[in-house]
Amino acid sequence: MPSKTFAKPPLAELKQKLTPLQFEVTQNDATEPPFRNDFWDNHAAGIYVDVATGEPLFSSVDKFESGTGWPSFTRPIEDGHVVSKTDTTYGVVRTEVRSSGGDSHLGHVFEDGPAPTGLRYCINSASLRFVPADHLVAEGYSAYAGPFVSGKTAPVVVSTDNACAKPPPGEKAGCEATLDTALFTGGPTTAAALRGVPGVLEVDTEADQLRVVFDPKRVAKADLATLVQSHR
């Protein structure tokens, strides 16, 4: 495979390049809310690269439905691009995974995945950029186009028998979000006000609702609700 390196850009450049949510996840080790992210249910053919550097990380060939609400893979796209380290945050011993070139926080890996590896790489969508199979050559990833040339890829495996989707009785799930999400009713003015609140990382419009991703350590949901009320 190519020996191209994917160095981490300066933080100032990353702050301009990445959204606040992407920056918080990749640079400050946050975990996005489950089921409210871009790729947890993406079944399109292609590869997933580091949103910060473009380093190839995972392939849709190895993606499966884990029932956790986060993109899950049985293995990295190839050796050397995803590195592991011990994570003892919150008093629980887990194995964190990061990109090799850019040192972006990706998520965690668990030993409760399906065959053939028995591993479950539980990854934040905010750490990833998806490159569709038909864009691989144009974007410089032709070395990874082989599995998609025939138009046939591995079927999506459904596996919900894991400690995150179904933790043992009395135990916490192995994957927990550090960020939260809330839905409010409001228009452009309300959305603009919410985006200016410290701790609010993302505000998306969904029909007549605003989906807000925020850091509960920095701003309370009740305070956001108060702000929304004041703009009605």
Side-chain angles (χ1 to χ4, degrees):
M1 288 296 178
S3 58
K4 179 181 178 180
T5 58
F6 298 88
K8 178 179 179 178
L11 283 181
E13 182 179 329
L14 285 175
K15 285 185 176 180
Q16 291 185 331
K17 175 181 179 179
L18 304 179
T19 67
L21 176 60
Q22 291 169 339
F23 188 89
E24 191 67 16
V25 170
T26 59
Q27 306 306 306
N28 294 326
D29 306 343
T31 301
E32 68 195 4
F35 301 104
R36 291 284 185 173
N37 54 76
D38 290 339
F39 303 129
W40 75 272
D41 61 346
N42 180 36
H43 300 148
I47 70 171
Y48 296 82
V49 304
D50 184 346
V51 71
T53 68
E55 181 175 15
L57 301 172
F58 299 98
S59 170
S60 63
V61 173
D62 305 307
K63 190 172 186 291
F64 70 98
E65 292 295 341
S66 62
T68 63
W70 287 284
S72 299
F73 305 86
T74 56
R75 57 190 163 198
I77 197 167
E78 65 178 325
D79 292 339
H81 287 301
V82 177
V83 296
S84 303
K85 62 180 290 187
T86 300
D87 176 13
T88 57
T89 308
Y90 307 117
V92 178
V93 179
R94 298 182 296 175
T95 301
E96 180 194 7
V97 287
R98 306 183 71 89
S99 63
S100 176
D103 193 35
S104 295
H105 171 71
L106 305 176
H108 293 83
V109 60
F110 302 90
E111 297 180 348
D112 57 12
T117 66
L119 298 176
R120 172 173 58 89
Y121 285 81
C122 189
I123 307 299
N124 287 279
S125 287
S127 298
L128 307 173
R129 182 174 72 86
F130 179 66
V131 183
D134 57 0
H135 291 186
L136 292 176
V137 174
E139 294 198 26
Y141 298 102
S142 57
Y144 302 96
F148 308 107
V149 171
S150 65
K152 296 180 180 179
T153 58
V156 175
V157 177
V158 177
S159 175
T160 57
D161 186 19
N162 60 69
C164 291
K166 296 181 180 179
E171 295 187 16
K172 289 186 176 181
C175 308
E176 290 192 359
T178 60
L179 305 178
D180 203 351
T181 185
L183 289 175
F184 300 107
T185 300
T189 301
T190 305
L194 287 167
R195 291 189 181 100
V197 176
V200 170
L201 303 171
E202 192 171 81
V203 180
D204 288 333
T205 301
E206 297 180 353
D208 61 341
Q209 289 188 315
L210 302 173
R211 182 176 69 86
V212 182
V213 178
F214 63 98
D215 185 344
K217 297 186 298 295
R218 298 175 62 192
V219 60
K221 183 177 180 179
D223 293 334
L224 297 177
T226 299
L227 184 149
V228 170
Q229 288 288 344
S230 70
H231 281 79
R232 287 183 177 176

